[in-house]
Protein backbone atom coordinates (compact mmCIF):
# COMPACT_ATOMS: atom_id res chain seq x y z
CA UNK A 1 0.00 0.00 0.00
CA UNK A 2 2.74 2.47 0.94
CA UNK A 3 4.58 1.86 -2.34
CA UNK A 4 1.57 2.85 -4.44
CA UNK A 5 0.79 5.84 -2.22
CA UNK A 6 4.34 7.15 -2.54
CA UNK A 7 4.33 6.66 -6.31
CA UNK A 8 1.08 8.61 -6.65
CA UNK A 9 2.39 11.43 -4.46
CA UNK A 10 5.57 11.69 -6.53
CA UNK A 11 3.62 11.77 -9.79
CA UNK A 12 1.48 14.60 -8.42
CA UNK A 13 4.60 16.64 -7.63
CA UNK A 14 5.51 17.04 -11.29
CA UNK A 15 2.14 18.55 -12.16
CA UNK A 16 3.31 21.92 -10.85
CA UNK A 17 6.88 21.83 -12.20
CA UNK A 18 7.60 22.75 -15.85
CA UNK A 19 9.34 19.86 -17.66
CA UNK A 20 12.35 21.96 -18.68
CA UNK A 21 12.87 23.17 -15.11
CA UNK A 22 12.60 19.62 -13.75
CA UNK A 23 15.05 18.28 -16.32
CA UNK A 24 17.56 21.09 -15.68
CA UNK A 25 17.36 20.57 -11.92
CA UNK A 26 17.90 16.83 -12.28
CA UNK A 27 20.92 17.33 -14.54
CA UNK A 28 22.48 19.74 -12.02
CA UNK A 29 21.84 17.30 -9.18
CA UNK A 30 23.42 14.46 -11.15
CA UNK A 31 26.53 16.58 -11.67
CA UNK A 32 26.62 17.44 -7.96
CA UNK A 33 26.33 13.83 -6.83
CA UNK A 34 29.09 12.76 -9.20
CA UNK A 35 31.39 15.45 -7.85
CA UNK A 36 32.64 16.29 -4.37
CA UNK A 37 30.03 17.73 -2.02
CA UNK A 38 31.20 19.46 1.16
CA UNK A 39 29.19 19.15 4.35
CA UNK A 40 28.63 22.92 4.58
CA UNK A 41 26.72 22.95 1.26
CA UNK A 42 23.54 20.86 1.03
CA UNK A 43 22.91 19.59 -2.49
CA UNK A 44 19.17 20.37 -2.36
CA UNK A 45 19.08 24.19 -2.30
CA UNK A 46 15.40 24.97 -2.98
CA UNK A 47 12.00 23.41 -3.61
CA UNK A 48 12.68 22.87 -7.31
CA UNK A 49 15.79 20.88 -6.42
CA UNK A 50 13.88 18.87 -3.82
CA UNK A 51 11.01 18.13 -6.22
CA UNK A 52 13.41 17.09 -8.99
CA UNK A 53 15.38 14.86 -6.63
CA UNK A 54 12.24 13.25 -5.20
CA UNK A 55 10.69 12.57 -8.58
CA UNK A 56 13.92 11.33 -10.15
CA UNK A 57 15.78 9.51 -7.34
CA UNK A 58 13.34 8.82 -4.50
CA UNK A 59 11.71 5.76 -6.16
CA UNK A 60 15.15 4.15 -6.54
CA UNK A 61 16.45 5.01 -3.06
CA UNK A 62 13.14 3.84 -1.58
CA UNK A 63 13.40 0.51 -3.42
CA UNK A 64 16.99 -0.02 -2.27
CA UNK A 65 16.17 0.85 1.35
CA UNK A 66 13.12 -1.39 1.22
CA UNK A 67 15.22 -4.33 -0.01
CA UNK A 68 17.82 -3.80 2.74
CA UNK A 69 15.15 -3.50 5.44
CA UNK A 70 13.41 -6.64 4.20
CA UNK A 71 16.71 -8.49 4.54
CA UNK A 72 16.91 -7.32 8.15
CA UNK A 73 13.29 -8.33 8.76
CA UNK A 74 14.01 -11.84 7.48
CA UNK A 75 16.85 -12.15 9.98
CA UNK A 76 14.67 -10.80 12.85
CA UNK A 77 11.39 -12.69 12.45
CA UNK A 78 8.62 -11.38 14.67
CA UNK A 79 10.39 -8.11 15.48
CA UNK A 80 9.31 -4.64 14.44
CA UNK A 81 10.68 -1.26 15.54
CA UNK A 82 8.58 1.03 17.69
CA UNK A 83 10.91 3.98 17.08
CA UNK A 84 13.00 4.88 14.03
CA UNK A 85 15.50 7.62 13.19
CA UNK A 86 16.42 8.35 9.58
CA UNK A 87 19.80 10.13 9.56
CA UNK A 88 20.26 12.20 6.41
CA UNK A 89 16.79 11.09 5.41
CA UNK A 90 16.01 14.05 3.14
CA UNK A 91 12.57 13.56 1.64
CA UNK A 92 12.03 10.38 3.66
CA UNK A 93 12.62 7.45 1.29
CA UNK A 94 13.91 5.16 4.06
CA UNK A 95 11.03 6.20 6.32
CA UNK A 96 8.52 5.14 3.66
CA UNK A 97 10.49 1.90 3.29
CA UNK A 98 10.34 1.30 7.04
CA UNK A 99 6.58 1.82 7.06
CA UNK A 100 6.20 -0.62 4.19
CA UNK A 101 8.40 -3.27 5.81
CA UNK A 102 6.72 -3.21 9.24
CA UNK A 103 3.03 -2.37 8.71
CA UNK A 104 2.40 -2.17 12.48
CA UNK A 105 3.93 1.28 12.16
CA UNK A 106 6.40 3.19 14.30
CA UNK A 107 7.27 6.73 15.33
CA UNK A 108 9.93 8.03 12.92
CA UNK A 109 12.19 11.08 13.02
CA UNK A 110 13.86 12.27 9.83
CA UNK A 111 17.05 14.27 10.48
CA UNK A 112 18.56 16.27 7.62
CA UNK A 113 20.20 19.63 7.09
CA UNK A 114 18.39 20.53 3.86
CA UNK A 115 15.20 22.37 4.83
CA UNK A 116 13.67 22.13 1.32
CA UNK A 117 14.02 18.33 1.43
CA UNK A 118 12.44 18.11 4.88
CA UNK A 119 9.55 20.39 3.89
CA UNK A 120 8.84 18.37 0.78
CA UNK A 121 9.16 15.11 2.73
CA UNK A 122 6.54 16.31 5.20
CA UNK A 123 4.29 17.29 2.30
CA UNK A 124 4.67 13.88 0.66
CA UNK A 125 4.06 12.02 3.93
CA UNK A 126 0.85 13.95 4.58
CA UNK A 127 -1.75 11.75 6.19
CA UNK A 128 -0.13 8.53 4.94
CA UNK A 129 2.72 8.70 7.47
CA UNK A 130 1.26 10.70 10.37
CA UNK A 131 3.82 9.64 13.00
CA UNK A 132 6.88 11.28 11.43
CA UNK A 133 8.80 14.26 12.81
CA UNK A 134 11.02 16.29 10.48
CA UNK A 135 14.06 17.83 12.14
CA UNK A 136 16.71 20.08 10.61
CA UNK A 137 20.23 19.50 11.95
CA UNK A 138 23.73 19.43 10.53
CA UNK A 139 25.05 15.94 9.91
CA UNK A 140 28.47 15.07 11.23
CA UNK A 141 29.02 15.68 14.92
CA UNK A 142 26.32 13.91 16.95
CA UNK A 143 23.23 16.14 16.57
CA UNK A 144 21.70 14.88 19.83
CA UNK A 145 19.97 11.89 18.29
CA UNK A 146 17.98 9.92 20.90
CA UNK A 147 18.05 6.13 21.13
CA UNK A 148 15.78 4.30 18.69
CA UNK A 149 14.94 0.70 17.85
CA UNK A 150 16.05 1.31 14.25
CA UNK A 151 18.43 3.86 12.71
CA UNK A 152 18.76 4.13 8.94
CA UNK A 153 21.57 5.91 7.07
CA UNK A 154 20.55 5.78 3.43
CA UNK A 155 22.25 7.35 0.40
CA UNK A 156 23.90 10.11 2.42
CA UNK A 157 27.46 9.03 3.29
CA UNK A 158 28.66 9.91 -0.19
CA UNK A 159 27.68 13.55 0.40
CA UNK A 160 29.85 13.83 3.53
CA UNK A 161 33.53 14.28 4.20
CA UNK A 162 35.31 11.20 5.58
CA UNK A 163 35.32 12.69 9.09
CA UNK A 164 31.59 13.37 8.98
CA UNK A 165 30.88 9.88 7.59
CA UNK A 166 32.66 8.40 10.57
CA UNK A 167 30.72 10.65 12.94
CA UNK A 168 27.34 9.75 11.39
CA UNK A 169 28.01 6.00 11.60
CA UNK A 170 29.24 6.41 15.19
CA UNK A 171 25.98 8.21 16.00
CA UNK A 172 23.95 5.43 14.39
CA UNK A 173 25.88 2.76 16.31
CA UNK A 174 25.30 4.58 19.59
CA UNK A 175 21.65 5.43 19.05
CA UNK A 176 20.28 2.42 17.18
CA UNK A 177 19.47 -1.05 18.48
CA UNK A 178 19.37 -2.02 14.81
CA UNK A 179 21.29 -0.06 12.15
CA UNK A 180 20.91 -0.23 8.37
CA UNK A 181 23.32 1.62 6.06
CA UNK A 182 22.56 1.82 2.31
CA UNK A 183 24.68 3.37 -0.43
CA UNK A 184 24.73 3.27 -4.25
CA UNK A 185 25.97 -0.05 -5.60
CA UNK A 186 29.14 1.39 -7.09
CA UNK A 187 32.71 0.48 -6.13
CA UNK A 188 32.89 3.73 -4.14
CA UNK A 189 29.51 3.14 -2.46
CA UNK A 190 30.59 -0.38 -1.51
CA UNK A 191 33.77 0.96 0.10
CA UNK A 192 31.71 3.38 2.19
CA UNK A 193 29.45 0.54 3.32
CA UNK A 194 32.46 -1.65 4.00
CA UNK A 195 33.96 1.06 6.22
CA UNK A 196 30.61 1.50 8.01
CA UNK A 197 30.41 -2.27 8.55
CA UNK A 198 33.85 -2.25 10.17
CA UNK A 199 32.75 0.63 12.43
CA UNK A 200 29.58 -1.15 13.47
CA UNK A 201 31.49 -4.34 14.28
CA UNK A 202 34.05 -2.34 16.29
CA UNK A 203 31.17 -0.74 18.22
CA UNK A 204 29.95 -4.18 19.28
CA UNK A 205 27.12 -4.71 16.80
CA UNK A 206 26.55 -8.00 15.02
CA UNK A 207 26.06 -8.03 11.25
CA UNK A 208 22.88 -9.82 10.15
CA UNK A 209 22.74 -8.98 6.43
CA UNK A 210 23.86 -9.32 3.77
CA UNK A 211 26.83 -11.11 5.31
CA UNK A 212 26.36 -14.58 6.87
CA UNK A 213 29.38 -13.91 9.09
CA UNK A 214 31.06 -11.23 11.20
CA UNK A 215 34.55 -11.71 9.78
CA UNK A 216 36.32 -9.27 7.48
CA UNK A 217 34.77 -8.86 4.06
CA UNK A 218 36.51 -11.38 1.77
CA UNK A 219 36.33 -9.14 -1.30
CA UNK A 220 39.62 -7.57 -2.36
CA UNK A 221 38.98 -3.82 -2.83
CA UNK A 222 39.47 -2.85 -6.45
CA UNK A 223 38.97 -6.39 -7.70
CA UNK A 224 35.20 -6.55 -7.11
CA UNK A 225 32.50 -5.06 -4.92
CA UNK A 226 29.47 -6.36 -3.02
CA UNK A 227 26.19 -5.01 -4.36
CA UNK A 228 22.66 -6.04 -5.18
CA UNK A 229 19.77 -4.75 -7.31
CA UNK A 230 16.18 -3.61 -6.84
CA UNK A 231 13.82 -3.18 -9.78
CA UNK A 232 12.22 0.27 -10.01
CA UNK A 233 9.37 1.43 -12.27
CA UNK A 234 10.53 4.37 -14.40
CA UNK A 235 8.61 7.64 -14.30
CA UNK A 236 8.13 9.94 -17.28
CA UNK A 237 10.88 12.16 -15.84
CA UNK A 238 13.26 9.18 -15.76
CA UNK A 239 12.65 8.44 -19.40
CA UNK A 240 12.90 12.10 -20.42
CA UNK A 241 16.23 12.73 -18.66
CA UNK A 242 17.86 9.39 -19.44
CA UNK A 243 16.45 9.04 -22.93
CA UNK A 244 15.36 5.50 -22.05
CA UNK A 245 12.36 3.56 -23.30
CA UNK A 246 12.09 0.73 -20.78
CA UNK A 247 9.37 1.03 -18.13
CA UNK A 248 11.81 -0.02 -15.40
CA UNK A 249 15.42 0.13 -14.30
CA UNK A 250 17.51 -1.79 -11.78
CA UNK A 251 18.88 0.26 -8.91
CA UNK A 252 22.21 -1.17 -7.76
CA UNK A 253 22.92 -0.72 -4.07
CA UNK A 254 25.24 -1.87 -1.28
CA UNK A 255 24.11 -2.22 2.31
CA UNK A 256 24.80 -3.57 5.77
CA UNK A 257 22.31 -4.35 8.55
CA UNK A 258 23.50 -4.91 12.11
CA UNK A 259 22.08 -5.15 15.63
CA UNK A 260 23.26 -4.63 19.17
CA UNK A 261 23.36 -7.95 21.09
CA UNK A 262 21.87 -6.12 24.07
CA UNK A 263 19.00 -6.76 26.49
CA UNK A 264 16.98 -3.90 24.94
CA UNK A 265 13.51 -5.08 24.02
CA UNK A 266 11.70 -3.51 21.08
CA UNK A 267 8.21 -4.87 20.58
CA UNK A 268 7.27 -7.90 18.52
CA UNK A 269 4.74 -7.61 15.70
CA UNK A 270 2.06 -8.56 18.19
CA UNK A 271 2.98 -5.50 20.26
CA UNK A 272 4.53 -7.60 23.00
CA UNK A 273 7.88 -7.16 24.67
CA UNK A 274 10.24 -10.00 25.34
CA UNK A 275 8.12 -13.09 25.28
CA UNK A 276 7.37 -13.60 21.60
CA UNK A 277 9.40 -14.89 18.71
CA UNK A 278 12.08 -12.30 19.36
CA UNK A 279 13.44 -10.82 22.56
CA UNK A 280 14.30 -7.41 21.19
CA UNK A 281 17.15 -6.79 18.84
CA UNK A 282 19.55 -8.67 21.07
CA UNK A 283 17.35 -11.70 21.72
CA UNK A 284 16.23 -11.98 18.14
CA UNK A 285 19.80 -11.73 16.95
CA UNK A 286 20.77 -14.55 19.26
CA UNK A 287 18.14 -16.70 17.62
CA UNK A 288 19.21 -15.66 14.14
CA UNK A 289 22.86 -16.23 14.92
CA UNK A 290 22.12 -19.75 16.01
CA UNK A 291 21.45 -20.85 12.45
CA UNK A 292 24.34 -18.84 11.00
CA UNK A 293 26.17 -21.95 9.77
CA UNK A 294 23.12 -23.06 7.78
CA UNK A 295 22.97 -20.33 5.14
CA UNK A 296 25.02 -18.35 2.65
CA UNK A 297 24.31 -15.28 0.53
CA UNK A 298 24.00 -15.45 -3.26
CA UNK A 299 26.31 -12.67 -4.47
CA UNK A 300 25.90 -12.97 -8.25
CA UNK A 301 23.19 -13.92 -10.70
CA UNK A 302 22.83 -17.73 -10.65
CA UNK A 303 24.09 -19.36 -13.85
CA UNK A 304 21.87 -22.01 -15.42
CA UNK A 305 23.44 -24.92 -17.29
CA UNK A 306 21.86 -28.09 -18.59
CA UNK A 307 20.88 -29.98 -15.46
CA UNK A 308 22.94 -27.63 -13.25
CA UNK A 309 22.71 -24.34 -11.38
CA UNK A 310 25.99 -22.61 -10.48
CA UNK A 311 25.84 -20.35 -7.43
CA UNK A 312 28.42 -17.82 -6.22
CA UNK A 313 28.15 -17.50 -2.46
CA UNK A 314 29.44 -15.58 0.52
CA UNK A 315 29.68 -18.28 3.17
CA UNK A 316 29.44 -18.41 6.97
CA UNK A 317 33.19 -19.07 7.01
CA UNK A 318 33.78 -15.56 5.69
CA UNK A 319 34.82 -16.81 2.26
CA UNK A 320 33.67 -16.42 -1.33
CA UNK A 321 32.99 -19.81 -2.88
CA UNK A 322 30.87 -21.50 -5.50
CA UNK A 323 28.61 -24.50 -5.50
CA UNK A 324 27.07 -26.51 -8.30
CA UNK A 325 23.60 -27.91 -7.71
CA UNK A 326 22.59 -30.75 -10.03
CA UNK A 327 19.39 -32.62 -10.80
CA UNK A 328 20.66 -35.54 -8.74
CA UNK A 329 19.46 -33.60 -5.68
CA UNK A 330 15.96 -32.80 -6.91
CA UNK A 331 14.83 -30.65 -3.96
CA UNK A 332 18.02 -28.61 -3.93
CA UNK A 333 17.91 -28.26 -7.73
CA UNK A 334 14.36 -26.90 -7.65
CA UNK A 335 15.35 -24.45 -4.90
CA UNK A 336 18.44 -23.36 -6.82
CA UNK A 337 16.42 -22.62 -9.96
CA UNK A 338 14.18 -20.31 -7.90
CA UNK A 339 16.94 -18.51 -6.00
CA UNK A 340 17.96 -15.01 -7.11
CA UNK A 341 20.92 -12.71 -6.72
CA UNK A 342 20.88 -11.37 -3.15
CA UNK A 343 18.84 -14.24 -1.68
CA UNK A 344 19.96 -16.50 1.12
CA UNK A 345 20.91 -20.06 0.23
CA UNK A 346 20.26 -22.90 2.64
CA UNK A 347 20.95 -25.78 0.28
CA UNK A 348 24.16 -27.78 -0.21
CA UNK A 349 27.18 -25.85 1.10
CA UNK A 350 29.74 -24.20 -1.10
CA UNK A 351 32.74 -26.25 -2.15
Amino acid sequence: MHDETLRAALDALLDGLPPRQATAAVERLIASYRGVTQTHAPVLRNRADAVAYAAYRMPATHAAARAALRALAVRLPGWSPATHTDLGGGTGAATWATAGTWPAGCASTVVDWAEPALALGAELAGRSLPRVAWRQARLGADPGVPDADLVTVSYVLGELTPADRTAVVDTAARAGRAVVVVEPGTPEGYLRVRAAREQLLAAGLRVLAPCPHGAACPIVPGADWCHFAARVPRSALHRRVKGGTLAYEDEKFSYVAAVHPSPARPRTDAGEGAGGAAEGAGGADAGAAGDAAAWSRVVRHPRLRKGQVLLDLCTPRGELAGTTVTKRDRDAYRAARDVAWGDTWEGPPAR
Side-chain angles (χ1 to χ4, degrees), residues 15-76:
D15 290 343
L17 190 65
R20 284 188 180 180
Q21 186 179 354
T23 301
V26 166
E27 289 173 345
R28 188 189 69 77
L29 292 175
I30 291 173
S32 295
Y33 281 116
R34 286 175 178 168
V36 177
T37 304
Q38 300 299 321
T39 54
H40 62 269
V43 174
L44 304 182
R45 302 179 301 193
N46 51 46
R47 178 178 170 82
D49 282 355
V51 169
Y53 172 83
Y56 181 69
R57 284 297 294 154
M58 196 172 173
T61 58
H62 169 263
R66 182 76 182 274
L69 291 169
R70 280 175 175 166
L72 174 65
V74 167
R75 300 292 294 132
L76 292 178

Side-chain angles (χ1 to χ4, degrees), residues 288-307:
D291 70 350
W295 65 279
S296 299
R297 181 75 61 180
V298 180
V299 295
R300 292 185 181 277
H301 285 296
R303 290 163 289 161
L304 303 181
R305 302 288 187 266
K306 185 175 181 180

Side-chain angles (χ1 to χ4, degrees), residues 39-218:
T39 54
H40 62 269
V43 174
L44 304 182
R45 302 179 301 193
N46 51 46
R47 178 178 170 82
D49 282 355
V51 169
Y53 172 83
Y56 181 69
R57 284 297 294 154
M58 196 172 173
T61 58
H62 169 263
R66 182 76 182 274
L69 291 169
R70 280 175 175 166
L72 174 65
V74 167
R75 300 292 294 132
L76 292 178
W79 176 83
S80 65
T83 52
H84 163 233
T85 298
D86 189 4
L87 290 178
T91 53
T95 296
W96 281 88
T98 298
T101 304
W102 292 282
C106 68
S108 291
T109 299
V110 180
V111 181
D112 201 278
W113 61 347
E115 190 279 333
L118 292 169
L120 183 63
E123 180 183 328
L124 287 170
R127 296 180 181 178
S128 300
L129 300 178
R131 299 175 61 198
V132 181
W134 304 83
R135 178 184 163 202
Q136 186 175 14
R138 181 187 180 279
L139 298 176
D142 188 341
V145 174
D147 292 350
D149 293 337
L150 172 67
V151 173
T152 52
V153 183
S154 180
Y155 281 77
V156 69
L157 295 182
E159 300 178 29
L160 306 177
T161 64
D164 284 341
R165 290 175 201 161
T166 299
V168 166
V169 176
D170 281 344
T171 296
R174 175 196 59 75
R177 294 183 179 92
V179 177
V180 176
V181 178
V182 189
E183 283 288 299
T186 62
E188 295 80 9
Y190 157 69
L191 290 177
R192 292 191 290 269
V193 170
R194 180 180 175 128
R197 179 183 184 272
E198 292 171 357
Q199 273 185 259
L200 295 174
L201 287 169
L205 282 76
R206 175 170 290 174
V207 173
L208 292 191
C211 323
H213 61 85
C217 179

